[in-house]
Amino acid sequence: MRVSFQWLSELAGIEDLTPQEAAQTLTMAGWTVEELRLIDLSQIRVGRIISQEPHPASKKPLWVHMVDLGDEQRQIVAGAANAVVGSLVPVALPGTTVPSGVKVRDANIAGFEARGMLCSQAELELSDEHDGIMLLDSGEPGQPLSAIVPSDAILEVEVTPNRPDCLCHLGLARELAAARGRRLKHDFMPLFTGGIEPPGTDLVSIAIEDPRFCRRYIGAVVSDIRVGPSPQWLQRRLRAVGVRPISNVVDITNYVALEYGQPLHAFDLDRLGARRIGVREAREGEHLLCLDGQDRQLGPDSFVITDGDQPVALAGLIGGAETAVQVGTTQILLEAANFEGIAVRGMSRRLKLRTEASVRLEKNISPELALAGARRAAGLLQEVCGAKVHTSWAEAYPRPQEPVPVRFRPERIDAILGLHVPLEEMEAILDRLGFQVRVETEGEWYVLPPVFRLDVTSVQDVAEEVGRIYGYDNVPATLPGRRRSSWRAATPSVERRLDPCRQALAGAGFDEVVTPALVAAEMLRRLGLDGRALRMVNPLSDDQDTLRTSLLPSLLKVAQLQQKHGRQASRLFEIGRAYLRSRGDSEEPEEQPDEPQLLGVLSTGHEGADAARKAFYELKGGLERAVNALAPARLRFERAEDRLYHPGRTARILSGREAIGCIGELHPTTSQAFGLPGRAVAAQLEIAPLLELDSTRKVKALPRYPAVTRDLAVVVPLDLEAATLAGAIRSKGGELLTDAAAFDDYRGSQVTEGRKSVAFALTFRSPERTLTDEEVDSRLEQIRATLSKRFEASFRD
Amino acid sequence: MSDFEQTAAEARSLIAQAPHAAELERLRIHYLGARGVLVPPDFSQLAPDERQAAGRAYNLAKRSLQESLAGRLDELRRRRLADLADSERIDVTLPGQPPRLGRLHVLTVVQREIETIMERMGYQVEIGPEVETDWYNFEALNLPRGHASRDMQETFFLNRSETLVLRTHTSPMQIRTMLKHGEPPIYAAMPGRVYRQEATDASHLAQFMQVEALAVDVGITVGDLKGTVQYFSQSLWDEERRVRFRPSYFPYTEPSFEFDVSCLVCGGRGCRSCGGDGWLEAGGCGMVHPAVLRNGNIDPERYSGFAWGFGIERIAMLKYGVEDLRLFYENDHRFLEQF
């Protein structure tokens, strides 16, 4: 909210504070001042135009002025002609910097000396008006401008949504005064009214269809109005906070909204044919031409103000054009109403229209403000427009606001804050904020919040009031904790348990990445990964409209980016979630989805089949090492197929009997989809099953007897896999065979066409004695015999 | 002089000039090898009285050869060691060749650092779903439907009935943690991804990481919250760090605060990076609202609590001087390699 310091300090009675001090006080009381702009007018002087001639030589239209500054006369050149002989204007002399930041210098403009600058309102930061020189309606030549137009400062204040009562100068002035230990000079606010006595008028009648929506409606008839421009002081204040003056009647409604926080609207009474005001839901097909020139289609989700049955305003949002005040209007119906916040917010969102009225009403301001606002506006209309205010106002206030007292023992406040606030201090703070405090029997306090504070309903709320005005800097810092006899043992987080796995992958040369979970539905669809994808109803854009179902595309996109920036081969991994629509759910999900945590690994930039084959085994080894860092368990790998992967170079990863992922070279079309040259290998597996593995490690005693090793090269058909051979070797090798690891897979001129040679390193060892060569050789013979018989294997030396 | 003596003298002079160990070995074999020059006298050819003298002469010659071989070898070794500085000199200023190691992502590192401090303070790390129900993300946190406070958190919806949302903060974990643990004391740290329907730029992302800490116990006060945030900030940064509480508003805490830490660059005097006032906005906090405690099945008359949280990227940005949030999620190697 934009606040004029000058307006604020007048209401708060704090003229002795600098804008900086006020900003600091507001910030520490909960009103963060995000920006402070000083408008110092004391260096600008009032000048009177003595003569004005068009510049004879310039191509641009320029005007040469002679200006009387009291003690001297100066020649000043300006581009605008609106300052004529006799006009009083603001003059910035050379050497001064005007509030907009322009530094004024002596100049020579096309042969004419210019010894100063005639200022526009924009240059003085008094409004956005930059066409023409600002004209003053009073002042003496030579006076500082600040004697005519007070210096000001503009504060941008962040008002939290629980405090709509502070979306106005009066509210913030009360806060500022309270925080400086003072009370407002005049609080303007009534106590509870419960309605106007006597209600009703014979000029206008009011009927509310839904009292839950329209909580209060006051219609005041004001006549003998002369519509015209507002006086300077009023225009200046509106401009200072960024509101463009329109006419005295409209300006007064805006002014009161900015001062009291109560939105007001003025109808031209003569254009209300029926003079029966109603508040009802709009009907299908109804529309209203609004003040902003837009014709809006309405429906039953909107509320309208009607005259007779005819909509004349959108309740809480904007008035209609046809009943608007204009030049020639002589009597008005001044509306001060209160509508329910959630409904106003809904209308505002649906119609995409936020107005000064809606931003206040949607946060639920007090209906009690309506009367205060109407009275203030009526007073100003009398004062400024010479209008006559009729004493009997029409009003509907079906359910007057009830007082909500809070009862508590004052020690509760200390217990919440962790600080002892003296009772008299506590009471003084609440008093300054407009609360009424009554000490009841046995020391219990009865605290009645001011009418405009609908947010205070509990002792915690009261504690906040006391704390922020007393000052949180005064609260001593302590640490919680006490002696306790029961506790829960600490357990490491999942992420921390996964750190050894991350370290192992980093040690194997893979960089960890963290990628966005929001991806493009279209990309998932192209990759066939969209089966259980969850799509947002209101995405920001097409390229992030869906939650990812796999880490692979994310890793591939990173590799693509890295490749674009010069890295030919990327080695990446990520531990992150995929999001899969619950199996029972349709396209319109009802249940929370599965969010499996996955490990994805990618290695790119491998040239040719051999390099990719090598990369596959490296990746597999790296993955096994990473899993081993979690638990001493073995993964199994079975040949498998997956449309994203190479048909001959892909395996399913199993932990026990459970398939937990996939590893392989990527299908050429997958790499190509991401513009990656060369071949890539990748793996993705689920983390949860790995975390369930038994992670206990028991150390085996070191062997006491030496091992005997033998290499065995087995020549078999190409489609026979090493795991099958290893299984047969192990079962035949018996207990003495402690390891049988395949270390080479050879195909080429040394073996027959259609066959390959797989070499195993066999290790034999007995825990009880040193094995003899004969023993081992005979065992080896049995293994060979089995392999020959079962797989038609032959052997190479 | 005997023949032995003569052969030994000749050999010794060769040994003394031998340039390296290999030559010494060649000389050893030449003179003392099985078929070497220096062979024992053939006693059968000698008269009995000459035998003893011949034997002694042979032994003497053999020993003297062995000694000079050993001496020369030792001398060569010593000379080689003395020469190392010149003979094997390398250029130690050439660049090192690191093994090919990967790196952990900076957000992982920072998140773990934060968790470590919280764990040290006795907080248990809890994680939960990112796709939340309206109840956990909003209702249970005192943010009823249609309420204007929801505008503070622009929300992604996953169905048209708006019952499933991408969580807008880690606070739903407050409710989940209270319901999971039941009776206090509860001290929990809750990190994770959160989502806001906001256009992306250098300081806004539609998805980012938060961490939030929750304490529910007997007699928890605003002072405890202040001390905890201060302890944490000093542990994360340094002991000089001061913390400032500015009153604010969150529907799920009462009272609520924004907390600032004294500027890491100027220490609080005021500089460009803190906008001149000496403080950096760090996060939000407050005393858990009684309605939230009730939704977590905890009696607000018996227990009170606080919650505080902040963005992990923000900490990483301050720590490493990163000026664009998007860098964390782009994973450009030229960025990652700097950590």
Side-chain angles (χ1 to χ4, degrees):
Chain A
M1 146 126 191
R2 190 178 290 183
V3 172
S4 152
F5 172 70
Q6 189 266 334
W7 190 350
L8 187 71
S9 53
E10 187 192 291
L11 290 170
I14 45 127
E15 284 90 347
D16 52 327
L17 285 190
T18 64
Q20 290 86 350
E21 287 167 332
Q24 174 70 14
T25 302
L26 283 170
T27 295
M28 294 313 289
W31 311 100
T32 302
V33 176
E34 291 167 328
E35 197 188 333
L36 175 63
R37 280 199 311 283
L38 296 177
I39 302 172
D40 180 3
L41 303 178
S42 63
Q43 302 306 306
I44 312 291
R45 291 166 67 186
V46 177
R48 186 197 304 277
I49 308 289
I50 305 172
S51 69
Q52 182 197 41
E53 304 288 339
H55 192 293
S58 166
K59 287 190 192 104
K60 280 195 297 177
L62 284 178
W63 304 82
V64 183
H65 299 86
M66 192 55 81
V67 184
D68 176 12
L69 287 162
D71 53 352
E72 58 167 337
Q73 296 188 350
R74 278 174 181 253
Q75 180 172 300
I76 298 176
V77 179
N82 68 319
V84 297
V85 173
S87 294
L88 290 166
V89 292
V91 181
L93 299 182
T96 54
T97 302
V98 298
S100 69
V102 178
K103 192 167 166 72
V104 181
R105 291 196 181 82
D106 273 323
N108 187 304
I109 299 170
F112 277 79
E113 261 192 298
R115 298 172 52 225
M117 184 173 94
L118 306 184
C119 305
S120 69
Q121 296 204 1
E123 280 155 345
L124 298 175
E125 297 248 305
L126 294 173
S127 80
D128 299 334
E129 191 59 57
H130 48 72
D131 289 338
I133 295 154
M134 180 179 181
L135 301 179
L136 305 170
D137 52 7
S138 65
E140 289 298 319
Q143 264 187 316
L145 180 62
S146 52
I148 316 295
V149 181
S151 292
D152 202 351
I154 302 304
L155 285 67
E156 292 291 347
V157 182
E158 189 190 335
V159 176
T160 52
N162 60 325
R163 292 298 302 274
D165 62 295
C166 280
L167 286 169
C168 61
H169 283 73
L170 189 58
L172 286 170
R174 189 183 300 105
E175 293 286 327
L176 178 58
R180 302 296 296 199
R182 306 174 205 188
R183 273 207 81 154
L184 276 189
K185 269 196 278 191
H186 314 286
D187 204 331
F188 303 94
M189 284 292 167
L191 298 174
F192 288 85
T193 60
I196 311 164
E197 296 289 342
T201 167
D202 44 1
L203 287 175
V204 180
S205 77
I206 290 169
I208 296 173
E209 205 171 80
D210 182 354
R212 275 171 317 189
F213 173 69
C214 180
R215 296 193 283 213
R216 191 175 195 181
Y217 196 104
I218 293 172
V221 172
V222 182
S223 57
D224 291 14
I225 284 177
R226 278 185 310 280
V227 174
S230 297
Q232 287 290 332
W233 67 266
L234 207 165
Q235 293 198 23
R236 211 157 48 228
R237 283 198 165 165
L238 291 180
R239 284 202 186 97
V241 296
V243 176
R244 176 180 284 271
I246 294 167
S247 70
N248 48 11
V249 174
V250 176
D251 291 353
I252 285 169
T253 59
N254 288 335
Y255 183 83
V256 173
L258 292 165
E259 190 175 57
Y260 276 66
Q262 169 65 43
L264 299 170
H265 180 65
F267 294 102
D268 184 333
L269 187 62
D270 292 325
R271 290 162 186 265
L272 297 178
R275 298 202 177 178
R276 282 184 289 109
I277 296 294
V279 184
R280 63 160 169 83
E281 273 182 10
R283 298 184 193 118
E284 205 61 64
E286 273 185 323
H287 64 103
L288 178 69
L289 179 62
C290 299
L291 271 175
D292 59 359
Q294 283 213 43
D295 199 349
R296 291 191 167 79
Q297 290 301 320
L298 310 174
D301 50 5
S302 299
F303 285 88
V304 287
I305 310 296
T306 54
D307 171 44
D309 195 43
Q310 190 59 35
V312 290
L314 267 171
L317 284 179
I318 194 168
E322 282 168 26
T323 52
V325 171
Q326 47 185 269
V327 180
T329 296
T330 58
Q331 46 182 349
I332 61 166
L333 179 72
L334 179 69
E335 170 198 286
N338 188 293
F339 306 108
E340 195 276 323
I342 290 177
V344 171
R345 179 170 174 265
M347 283 169 66
S348 163
R349 285 170 82 93
R350 278 191 300 276
L351 294 167
K352 296 190 171 47
L353 175 66
R354 277 171 80 77
T355 62
E356 290 287 337
S358 76
V359 299
R360 290 174 172 81
L361 290 166
E362 72 178 12
K363 299 183 181 83
N364 277 330
I365 57 176
S366 161
E368 290 292 321
L369 279 175
L371 182 59
R375 282 185 176 153
R376 174 71 171 144
L380 282 170
L381 284 165
Q382 261 175 336
E383 187 188 316
V384 169
C385 315
K388 243 170 59 194
V389 181
H390 291 251
T391 48
S392 63
W393 294 1
E395 192 202 18
Y397 193 7
R399 293 173 196 166
Q401 181 182 326
E402 299 276 347
V404 181
V406 186
R407 285 193 170 81
F408 57 89
R409 302 186 65 81
E411 306 87 83
R412 277 296 300 278
I413 305 281
D414 291 356
I416 291 167
L417 298 179
L419 162 82
H420 176 64
V421 183
L423 291 185
E424 53 281 12
E425 180 70 37
M426 217 184 270
E427 194 174 345
I429 286 169
L430 291 172
D431 176 62
R432 295 204 296 271
L433 290 170
F435 290 68
Q436 293 175 48
V437 179
R438 204 167 68 220
V439 181
E440 299 203 317
T441 49
E442 296 181 27
E444 189 169 70
W445 281 23
Y446 169 100
V447 170
L448 186 63
V451 288
F452 47 84
R453 292 297 301 274
L454 300 178
D455 60 309
V456 178
T457 57
S458 69
V459 62
Q460 283 81 7
D461 297 327
V462 177
E464 170 153 57
E465 297 305 299
V466 173
R468 69 194 176 84
I469 301 299
Y470 190 73
Y472 286 113
D473 282 347
N474 296 319
V475 174
T478 51
L479 284 180
R482 66 206 161 90
R483 182 168 297 124
R484 51 176 64 109
S485 55
S486 67
W487 53 82
R488 267 183 289 273
T491 52
S493 69
V494 166
E495 291 295 330
R496 195 178 287 282
R497 286 180 63 194
L498 292 174
D499 280 347
C501 184
R502 288 189 171 89
Q503 303 284 6
L505 286 163
F510 291 90
D511 283 324
E512 187 187 24
V513 297
V514 176
T515 61
L518 303 182
V519 298
E522 173 55 23
M523 178 196 67
L524 292 183
R525 196 191 55 73
R526 270 188 285 117
L527 297 172
L529 293 170
D530 57 342
R532 291 170 67 194
L534 278 151
R535 200 165 174 162
M536 274 156 282
V537 172
N538 55 339
L540 283 169
S541 61
D542 289 347
D543 63 350
Q544 39 180 346
D545 61 354
T546 300
L547 286 163
R548 66 177 173 200
T549 55
S550 162
L551 300 182
L552 267 190
S554 304
L555 292 169
L556 284 162
K557 279 189 81 167
V558 173
Q560 184 180 24
L561 176 122
Q562 294 192 341
Q563 202 261 335
K564 200 174 92 191
H565 292 149
R567 185 185 252 189
Q568 294 310 314
S570 294
R571 294 158 72 86
L572 311 169
F573 79 94
E574 177 168 17
I575 292 180
R577 293 185 194 186
Y579 309 80
L580 304 171
R581 205 164 57 208
S582 176
R583 291 198 184 274
D585 260 338
S586 63
E587 292 273 341
E588 176 78 4
E590 293 296 330
E591 283 179 26
Q592 283 180 273
D594 296 333
E595 297 182 21
Q597 196 174 23
L598 304 177
L599 165 63
V601 194
L602 174 69
S603 168
T604 65
H606 304 289
E607 292 303 331
D610 272 353
R613 178 168 160 265
K614 193 159 162 273
F616 174 92
Y617 294 118
E618 267 179 28
L619 179 68
K620 187 177 169 189
L623 204 59
E624 286 175 310
R625 186 68 195 80
V627 170
N628 187 265
L630 290 179
R634 267 183 193 280
L635 296 179
R636 289 195 301 121
F637 296 82
E638 286 176 0
R639 179 167 297 283
E641 279 182 33
D642 184 297
R643 66 176 275 192
L644 296 180
Y645 288 89
H646 190 295
R649 297 182 161 195
T650 301
R652 183 180 303 119
I653 306 173
L654 298 103
S655 170
R657 292 191 164 176
E658 189 183 0
I660 61 166
C662 190
I663 182 172
E665 183 178 328
L666 290 180
H667 198 282
T669 57
T670 310
S671 309
Q672 276 157 22
F674 290 87
L676 290 170
R679 296 174 179 235
V681 293
Q684 175 169 279
L685 51 92
E686 280 185 55
I687 295 286
L690 302 179
L691 292 173
E692 281 160 23
L693 294 173
D694 183 2
S695 62
T696 50
R697 283 173 212 266
K698 285 276 184 264
V699 173
K700 289 193 208 102
L702 299 186
R704 294 174 58 196
Y705 299 96
V708 179
T709 59
R710 291 284 188 274
D711 286 353
L712 179 65
V714 192
V715 179
V716 288
L718 281 174
D719 59 358
L720 190 65
E721 313 237 282
T724 313
L725 286 170
I729 292 171
R730 281 204 197 89
S731 68
K732 200 69 205 170
E735 272 176 22
L736 295 182
L737 178 69
T738 54
D739 196 21
F743 67 90
D744 187 38
D745 177 331
Y746 173 82
R747 357 183 136 197
S749 56
Q750 307 280 324
V751 292
T752 326
E753 181 83 23
R755 289 169 83 82
K756 62 178 178 180
S757 158
V758 185
F760 286 88
L762 308 184
T763 308
F764 296 90
R765 192 200 299 273
S766 158
E768 286 147 9
R769 61 200 158 83
T770 304
L771 296 177
T772 62
D773 280 347
E774 293 73 32
E775 231 176 329
V776 170
D777 287 340
S778 92
R779 190 59 62 98
L780 196 57
E781 235 2 271
Q782 292 170 21
I783 291 171
R784 284 176 191 250
T786 301
L787 296 180
S788 303
K789 206 167 124 201
R790 281 184 59 189
F791 308 116
E792 293 168 19
S794 57
F795 302 93
R796 291 204 304 149
D797 288 325
Chain B
M1 190 188 277
S2 71
D3 287 351
F4 293 122
E5 179 65 12
Q6 207 164 351
T7 309
E10 171 200 305
R12 275 200 305 274
S13 95
L14 288 173
I15 287 169
Q17 290 163 34
H20 41 68
E23 175 64 7
L24 283 178
E25 180 62 7
R26 194 188 67 75
L27 290 170
R28 187 189 65 78
I29 292 164
H30 179 71
Y31 288 101
L32 299 176
R35 282 180 281 255
V37 175
L38 197 66
V39 289
D42 185 352
F43 289 106
S44 62
Q45 302 287 312
L46 292 176
D49 58 332
E50 288 170 342
R51 285 178 189 167
Q52 191 178 10
R56 188 175 299 129
Y58 165 75
N59 282 333
L60 219 57
K62 185 180 166 191
R63 193 172 310 133
S64 87
L65 273 198
Q66 283 169 337
E67 275 167 11
S68 41
L69 277 168
R72 178 63 181 164
L73 194 62
D74 194 45
E75 190 189 336
L76 282 176
R77 189 182 297 129
R78 261 184 287 124
R79 195 176 294 166
R80 200 179 67 236
L81 289 175
D83 268 3
L84 279 179
D86 291 326
S87 62
E88 300 187 0
R89 180 189 170 104
I90 63 167
D91 184 346
V92 297
T93 66
L94 284 175
Q97 292 178 6
R100 189 172 65 174
L101 289 178
R103 289 176 170 79
L104 297 196
H105 194 277
V106 55
L107 289 180
T108 302
V109 173
V110 172
Q111 183 184 336
R112 207 70 75 247
E113 193 176 345
I114 291 164
E115 287 169 359
T116 301
I117 298 169
M118 289 184 171
E119 284 175 337
R120 206 180 287 152
M121 294 165 78
Y123 289 69
Q124 172 78 48
V125 175
E126 303 279 354
I127 55 169
E130 291 167 25
V131 177
E132 267 296 5
T133 63
D134 179 81
W135 191 78
Y136 278 108
N137 195 73
F138 290 124
E139 291 281 339
L141 294 168
N142 215 18
L143 275 151
R145 250 186 200 220
H147 202 272
S149 303
R150 285 199 179 188
D151 287 346
M152 293 165 89
Q153 302 183 357
E154 293 293 336
T155 310
F156 284 119
F157 296 104
L158 292 167
N159 54 12
R160 268 179 295 276
S161 54
E162 302 190 352
T163 55
L164 282 183
V165 304
L166 279 173
R167 66 176 176 190
T168 55
H169 47 185
T170 45
S171 303
M173 284 305 294
Q174 290 185 22
I175 304 290
R176 289 187 178 277
T177 302
M178 287 189 274
L179 292 177
K180 175 177 152 191
H181 284 312
E183 203 68 2
I186 294 169
Y187 290 85
M190 305 165 296
R193 288 192 192 220
V194 300
Y195 302 81
R196 299 278 169 93
Q197 204 230 23
E198 279 182 351
T200 300
D201 61 32
S203 49
H204 296 88
L205 289 177
Q207 51 191 323
F208 53 98
M209 310 249 285
Q210 275 188 344
V211 61
E212 177 156 331
L214 170 75
V216 183
D217 205 339
V218 172
I220 297 270
T221 68
V222 172
D224 293 338
L225 171 58
K226 210 172 144 181
T228 301
V229 172
Q230 204 157 322
Y231 177 100
F232 175 84
S233 303
Q234 290 175 351
S235 306
L236 184 69
W237 306 109
D238 56 59
E239 292 221 58
E240 304 303 310
R241 244 12 69 203
R242 283 168 295 122
V243 167
R244 176 176 89 165
F245 273 23
R246 273 181 293 118
S248 186
Y249 169 69
F250 306 107
Y252 30 96
T253 48
E254 183 73 34
S256 305
F257 313 92
E258 305 268 0
F259 63 89
D260 303 336
V261 293
S262 52
C263 178
L264 299 158
V265 178
C266 65
R269 287 185 305 281
C271 68
R272 274 221 342 247
S273 43
C274 56
D277 78 345
W279 297 96
L280 294 170
E281 278 187 35
C285 61
M287 305 301 290
V288 182
H289 196 286
V292 174
L293 288 175
R294 274 192 290 274
N295 287 329
N297 218 359
I298 284 172
D299 179 4
E301 294 301 314
R302 278 186 68 196
Y303 297 106
S304 57
F306 61 64
W308 53 289
F310 49 85
I312 294 178
E313 291 88 351
R314 168 112 180 115
I315 301 287
M317 285 173 107
L318 290 172
K319 222 175 157 79
Y320 299 105
V322 179
E323 286 183 353
D324 190 332
L325 264 175
R326 291 169 290 198
L327 287 169
F328 292 118
Y329 293 92
E330 272 174 8
N331 299 290
D332 189 317
H333 55 284
R334 296 167 302 175
F335 175 73
L336 299 181
E337 278 164 3
Q338 295 184 49
F339 296 96

